[in-house]
Amino acid sequence: MVAFTLNGRAHTLDVDPQMPLLWAIRDVIGLTGTKFGCGMAQCGACTVHVDGAPVRACQTEIGNIDGASITTIEGISGKVAETVQKVWAELDVPQCGYCQSGQIMSATALLTDTPKPSNDDIDSAMSGNLCRCATYHRIRAAIHEASNRLGG
Amino acid sequence: MLHFRSQTGAAQPTRRHFLIGTAAATAGLTIGYRLAVSSAEAQTATAPQAVNPFQAYVEITPDNKIIIHSSQFEMGQGSYFGIATLVMEELDGDWKQVDVIGAWGPTALYGNLAMGGAFQITGGSTSMTSSWERYRKAGATARAMLVSAAAKQWNVPESEIKVAGGTLTNASGRTVTFGDLAAAAAALPIPANVPLKPRERWTQIGSTTLKRYDSSGKTNGKQDYTIDVKMDGLLTAVMIHPPKFGAQVKRFDASKAKALDGVVDVVQIPRGIAVVGRNMWAALKGRDLTTVEWDESQAEQRGSAELLNEYRKLANGAGAVTARNDGNVAGAFSAGAQTIEAVYEFPYLAHAAIEPLNAVARISEDGRVEVWGGHQMPGLYQAIAAQVAGTTPDKVVLHVMKTGGSFGRRAVADGDLIAEAVSIAKALGPGKPVKVQWTRENDMRGGRYRPAYVHAMKASLDKDGKLVALYDHIVGQSIMDGGPFAMMIKDGIDPTSVEGAANMPYAIPNLKVDLTTVSSKIPVLWWRSVGSTHTAYAVETFVDELAAAAKRDPIDFRLAMLDKHPRHAAVLKLAAEKAGWGTPLPQGRFRGVALHESFSTFVAQVVEITVKNGSDFTVDRVVCAVDCGTAINPDQIRAQMEGGIGFGLGAILQEELTLTGGVVDQQNYDTYTPLRINQMPKVEVHIMASTEPPTGVGEPGVPPIGPAVANALRAATGKTVRQLPILKHLST
């Protein structure tokens, strides 16, 4: 039995403790904004926040998050996240959009910790998030723009 | 993703296309479906009959939503947005009303007009070419019918009615929404020859401020893909495929898997073993406990190194068939003042889409078969689903899902994922809907790669440095062979093997392109920009090298051979000008250029690289000029060029799929490595102003980036990298 908070709501799951958080969120709880891409923390499509830090849900066993607070793309809120989402849409960053939940989770974590990121900061925070459509040019622009709007 | 070139004749849909009716609709498809029924045949198959736009292309709901039914599927390339832009230009709705859904069915309504109209397919960067008149006419006709309905209701002349923002008003201030009038409008006679807006009145087409209508659902997790399909009782299946292509299941033992809580069944289907669970994790655990013994007697046993060795030997000899033969290359070689030879090698490439392949099938008790997926070729997939289910196509219903970028991988002649999903649903029995969800490892090892190729090239310059002869012998597998597309192969030449080389634009008096097609059991497929993924690299680096041998500027050298190709010349000049070609660069920085036409779109790119030491370099800046005719969504043209550059750059720098003893070596993104953000250059896109009909942008951004980077590297090091990927071979 694992108890945790997901997007502000308490959940108790009676599942295999080895089940990755990704499949617990998607298949057991039914929130599908968090995506599956690789299953080995190589692509970042499954990025969620665990106690505020970006984590790859595909490599996080549910048994290890007892008591944690999890936020997914459906639950992010606050000025940073909302600015990131708004700028992302305004700049038409997404193409297919499949990886973008993970991109936004990583970008929000970056801007929360580093309000005025350099290009190198962006590279190191975002290079774990693959985008096969290669929207990287706009991801970079959107992070800088969100930073400006947030007064970073 | 598919090869077909848009042909001007076929690409101009006639009014007749638009009016061909739903009566043509339901001819059942069977496998072995004739793909390329000629355009003429398709048109004579049925008498012209008016199409009500409200029943085929534009649905207006009572609550005033505009739902556009798109013949083209959406995988991020923006076809839904492009088609909506065409409709909205004529309809004068409000974008807040708009949604787009994937339509499928009668080819008379949804057939791809850039490919003759007889087959519904998304590919070959043809969505805008196919839709250009069809969807503008749909919007204009719908608008005219709404105006008629309002005029009738108010008893005023149509000329007094204004349409804007999804409402109709008249001089006396009466107002009604599209939604209020939709039912009345749809019941009216369909007007003939509704005029389209002249170019000077466009407000949507070419707008530089119009944004995609569908971005926000991709920033909040709300957009559903096939992986997200939900329904009561939906099971998840994970596949175990043969480790070698062509192997078959000999026997399997699922007793341990079936004992696991959450595993529902383990079934054998023609494509392998499916482990079915109540969720993905249960299915994955069940997969790990299932053992399979394979019969590999018919399997491919060769590795990619052995295949490339064979290709190299073949490339040394004469070509099996000739795709182009101008003048007399052999004679010109013996007379040339300076002859240069080069052999290029291209590895297999994987699409490696981030959404691993998937499909959902549900067979109901009454025999109805439903399939959710990235239906890139709906008619064919409907036929495949019917055959696999043992029913007739009319019992099959498709649900066209928006799809993670798939770059050609979802247009497969044998409908691999569709067949798997329906096979599993059938094995489970009616009433058990199932999603087959490939893992990344399934996806990487599941075949359908960009084929490996070798190009053996030779060229001669005369004493004045003029390129007088060029020969290219291409060796590789055929993409179209062995399926419904095989009829596109003419005189032994698969056009996807030679496109971009056989039609190179340069005026070279003696020019020959040969092809030797080899076969293997490794399945191959179109991969974003298809033949141009390798031909552009071979031709554009070789021509650049010849310019250097002739001691000519590479842009001047090309322009001198482009008198008859003004659109090529214009993008080349534009890219050069915007990049500051010829201006001094800082120490360690070098430029390279490449020019390529694919899918009737012309693209030139100038790159700047910084070489730190030896093989350590960065690609810093790409200036891209594109002529795709009339620009429908300029910002999306930019987006596709940016994305195409990143996609192509990853491939030429560091992507390679290899096999050892018939087994694919790579399994995940740790060893198959698409571009990441830290490698993405700054990209500037310049769109050529044009009044030509629109052509595609999904693929044409890809081909020039590789040769442009290689040419910059040659400027820096004096050597052309002729084996890809570059980072593996730069130092060798």
Side-chain angles (χ1 to χ4, degrees):
Chain A
M1 204 72 90
V2 182
F4 57 95
T5 306
L6 180 73
N7 298 334
R9 263 190 67 194
H11 286 265
T12 306
L13 297 188
D14 182 13
V15 296
D16 174 5
Q18 288 185 318
M19 177 186 275
L21 177 60
L22 170 65
W23 300 116
I25 293 169
R26 288 185 55 87
D27 288 357
V28 182
I29 295 169
L31 287 182
T32 53
T34 305
K35 300 303 189 211
F36 165 58
C38 71
M40 58 181 289
Q42 289 290 317
C43 78
C46 67
T47 305
V48 298
H49 294 173
V50 176
D51 296 330
V55 163
R56 312 299 183 212
C58 74
Q59 287 291 295
T60 305
E61 292 182 7
I62 191 88
N64 290 336
I65 57 132
D66 198 47
S69 173
I70 315 294
T71 307
T72 68
I73 186 73
E74 292 92 344
I76 48 168
S77 57
K79 208 172 153 204
V80 174
E82 283 155 21
T83 304
V84 167
Q85 286 172 304
K86 189 162 186 286
V87 170
W88 233 253
E90 278 180 28
L91 299 192
D92 276 348
V93 171
Q95 289 185 23
C96 81
Y98 190 80
C99 73
Q100 298 292 348
S101 295
Q103 304 282 358
I104 285 170
M105 297 309 283
S106 291
T108 300
L110 166 65
L111 286 165
T112 302
D113 289 346
T114 311
K116 189 80 190 167
S118 66
N119 278 332
D120 286 346
D121 293 334
I122 293 173
D123 283 350
S124 68
M126 302 299 294
S127 61
N129 288 85
L130 274 177
C131 174
R132 194 66 170 131
C133 302
T135 61
Y136 302 126
H137 192 258
R138 292 186 189 213
I139 289 173
R140 188 184 299 283
I143 290 172
H144 285 308
E145 176 61 21
S147 167
N148 289 340
R149 288 195 200 176
L150 288 161
Chain B
M1 313 299 120
L2 300 185
H3 154 75
F4 309 89
R5 300 171 57 73
S6 64
Q7 287 156 9
T8 316
Q12 304 300 316
T14 59
R15 179 179 152 66
R16 187 184 169 101
H17 280 101
F18 175 63
L19 294 177
I20 286 175
T22 47
T26 44
L29 301 176
T30 51
I31 299 210
Y33 176 80
R34 285 190 304 148
L35 171 64
V37 178
S38 74
S39 181
E41 197 180 329
Q43 286 184 29
T44 52
T46 179
Q49 187 184 340
V51 166
N52 189 327
F54 295 110
Q55 286 161 8
Y57 306 122
V58 183
E59 178 186 346
I60 296 176
T61 62
D63 63 346
N64 205 29
K65 295 214 162 43
I66 300 170
I67 300 168
I68 294 161
H69 294 232
S70 172
S71 64
Q72 306 306 107
F73 104 132
E74 172 66 43
M75 56 178 146
Q77 82 279 37
S79 56
Y80 280 9
F81 178 47
I83 282 172
T85 304
L86 301 179
V87 171
M88 291 293 281
E89 181 64 74
E90 299 293 339
L91 185 61
D92 293 323
D94 184 327
W95 276 95
K96 290 192 186 77
Q97 299 172 273
V98 172
D99 196 8
V100 185
I101 61 171
W104 62 279
T107 53
L109 294 172
Y110 304 125
N112 187 319
L113 297 174
M115 300 180 187
F119 192 61
Q120 188 183 355
I121 181 169
T122 304
S125 295
T126 57
S127 289
M128 290 305 102
T129 307
S130 174
S131 305
W132 178 233
E133 295 213 12
R134 171 184 280 161
Y135 279 94
R136 283 190 299 151
K137 281 182 177 168
T141 307
R143 182 188 190 278
M145 291 165 78
L146 287 163
V147 168
S148 276
K152 252 188 171 166
Q153 190 171 310
W154 296 333
N155 199 22
V156 298
E158 292 184 4
S159 59
E160 289 183 9
I161 292 171
K162 288 198 168 62
V163 186
T167 58
L168 300 97
T169 53
N170 76 353
S172 61
R174 294 184 72 168
T175 295
V176 67
T177 68
F178 283 8
D180 294 334
L181 275 182
L188 291 175
I190 301 151
N193 297 321
V194 177
L196 299 178
K197 277 188 194 170
R199 185 174 288 263
E200 57 274 15
R201 283 184 44 221
W202 288 346
T203 59
Q204 309 295 306
I205 297 168
S207 166
T208 53
T209 54
L210 191 62
K211 295 289 172 192
R212 279 180 85 134
Y213 74 98
D214 59 347
S215 281
S216 70
K218 297 171 183 173
T219 66
N220 56 21
K222 286 193 178 145
Q223 175 165 312
D224 282 339
Y225 304 81
T226 304
I227 195 174
D228 305 320
V229 168
K230 298 174 185 78
M231 68 187 72
D232 285 344
L234 181 65
L235 301 169
T236 301
V238 169
M239 288 301 301
I240 305 173
H241 291 132
K244 296 180 185 176
F245 298 109
Q248 297 286 332
V249 175
K250 194 186 276 178
R251 60 181 75 88
F252 71 103
D253 179 357
S255 51
K256 285 182 188 159
K258 284 184 178 176
L260 262 186
D261 187 29
V263 172
V264 174
D265 207 346
V266 179
V267 296
Q268 182 175 351
I269 61 169
R271 291 180 46 83
I273 302 293
V275 181
V276 184
R278 299 223 174 275
N279 55 50
M280 184 75 174
W281 181 240
L284 287 168
K285 285 181 67 173
R287 176 203 60 186
D288 292 345
L289 292 173
T290 303
T291 54
V292 188
E293 199 179 325
W294 302 97
D295 171 3
E296 295 186 345
S297 58
Q298 302 299 311
E300 179 64 64
Q301 307 286 352
R302 290 173 294 177
S304 44
E306 290 152 274
L307 289 167
L308 275 167
N309 267 334
E310 184 194 327
Y311 293 9
R312 263 190 296 268
K313 281 182 204 149
L314 288 167
N316 246 334
V321 286
T322 298
R324 180 164 175 183
N325 196 2
D326 298 350
N328 173 1
V329 283
F333 285 142
S334 55
Q338 188 182 358
T339 297
I340 295 176
E341 293 186 60
V343 177
Y344 292 85
E345 295 180 21
F346 300 87
Y348 288 102
L349 295 174
H351 300 78
I354 313 267
E355 182 183 11
L357 293 168
N358 44 24
V360 176
R362 176 165 68 187
I363 300 177
S364 304
E365 299 286 353
D366 63 2
R368 189 168 117 122
V369 179
E370 292 171 275
V371 188
W372 288 255
H375 296 313
Q376 199 165 349
M377 303 192 289
L380 184 62
Y381 292 174
Q382 183 190 32
I384 289 168
Q387 192 193 50
V388 171
T391 188
T392 47
D394 59 298
K395 298 286 196 300
V396 176
V397 173
L398 301 181
H399 302 275
V400 183
M401 298 301 295
K402 291 175 189 164
T403 305
S406 45
F407 315 108
R409 182 60 182 82
R410 287 189 187 260
V412 183
D414 72 357
D416 46 9
L417 267 291
I418 311 304
E420 282 186 2
V422 178
S423 298
I424 300 165
K426 189 182 175 195
L428 295 171
K432 290 187 177 166
V434 64
K435 170 172 70 185
V436 59
Q437 177 60 57
W438 283 18
T439 62
R440 173 59 44 209
E441 291 78 12
N442 286 137
D443 201 289
M444 201 64 79
R445 298 183 136 179
R448 311 289 174 197
Y449 309 119
R450 196 287 303 270
Y453 290 96
V454 168
H455 285 240
M457 304 187 79
K458 186 174 177 182
S460 270
L461 299 163
D462 69 10
K463 60 180 171 32
D464 302 319
K466 190 168 170 279
L467 178 51
V468 288
L470 190 146
Y471 175 66
D472 183 4
H473 180 189
I474 302 169
V475 179
Q477 277 174 261
S478 163
I479 292 170
M480 289 181 161
D481 193 21
F485 297 97
M487 63 182 307
M488 304 289 292
I489 300 173
K490 294 274 189 292
D491 302 323
I493 298 164
D494 179 338
T496 68
S497 299
V498 299
E499 62 181 351
N503 59 331
M504 73 176 83
Y506 302 119
I508 304 168
N510 306 286
L511 173 61
K512 190 175 185 199
V513 177
D514 278 354
L515 173 67
T516 298
T517 298
V518 294
S519 63
S520 95
K521 289 184 176 159
I522 301 164
V524 293
L525 191 65
W526 12 76
W527 185 102
R528 194 177 187 179
S529 81
V530 198
S532 293
T533 56
H534 55 102
T535 57
Y537 190 93
V539 169
E540 284 298 293
T541 56
F542 199 47
V543 164
D544 215 73
E545 204 170 324
L546 291 161
K551 300 190 169 45
R552 297 278 304 279
D553 174 83
I555 287 181
D556 293 342
F557 187 73
R558 286 175 174 83
L559 286 174
M561 299 186 289
L562 287 171
D563 279 353
K564 291 192 175 146
H565 293 276
R567 294 177 76 180
H568 287 83
V571 289
L572 182 58
K573 285 181 193 164
L574 182 62
E577 178 207 323
K578 298 291 183 185
W581 186 265
T583 59
L585 286 164
Q587 181 79 23
R589 201 142 162 139
F590 299 88
R591 286 193 189 98
V593 65
L595 166 69
H596 194 74
E597 175 201 354
S598 56
F599 310 100
S600 308
T601 290
F602 308 83
V603 181
Q605 290 168 6
V606 173
V607 307
E608 288 178 21
I609 65 169
T610 301
V611 178
K612 280 150 195 157
N613 56 66
S615 58
D616 183 11
F617 73 99
T618 54
V619 181
D620 302 316
R621 180 186 183 213
V622 181
V623 177
C624 175
V626 52
D627 175 357
C628 55
T630 296
I632 296 171
N633 300 122
D635 194 51
Q636 287 306 301
I637 295 168
R638 260 179 228 110
Q640 287 305 304
M641 292 300 120
E642 292 161 7
I645 286 165
F647 191 86
L649 184 59
I652 61 108
L653 288 179
Q654 60 207 27
E655 288 176 34
E656 175 181 37
L657 187 123
T658 57
L659 300 97
T660 304
V663 177
V664 174
D665 296 317
Q666 293 74 22
Q667 299 204 52
N668 209 309
Y669 292 127
D670 53 342
T671 46
Y672 191 91
T673 51
L675 198 82
R676 291 181 184 268
I677 194 170
N678 56 310
Q679 299 174 291
M680 184 72 194
K682 191 166 169 255
V683 178
E684 301 163 34
V685 179
H686 302 278
I687 303 166
M688 190 68 76
S690 174
T691 55
E692 296 288 325
T695 51
V697 292
E699 297 168 272
V702 175
I705 185 66
V709 169
N711 290 338
L713 275 169
R714 193 185 40 71
T717 66
K719 273 175 63 180
T720 301
V721 179
R722 294 187 179 130
Q723 286 171 291
L724 293 180
I726 284 177
L727 293 180
K728 180 175 170 185
H729 295 284
L730 185 59
S731 53
T732 58

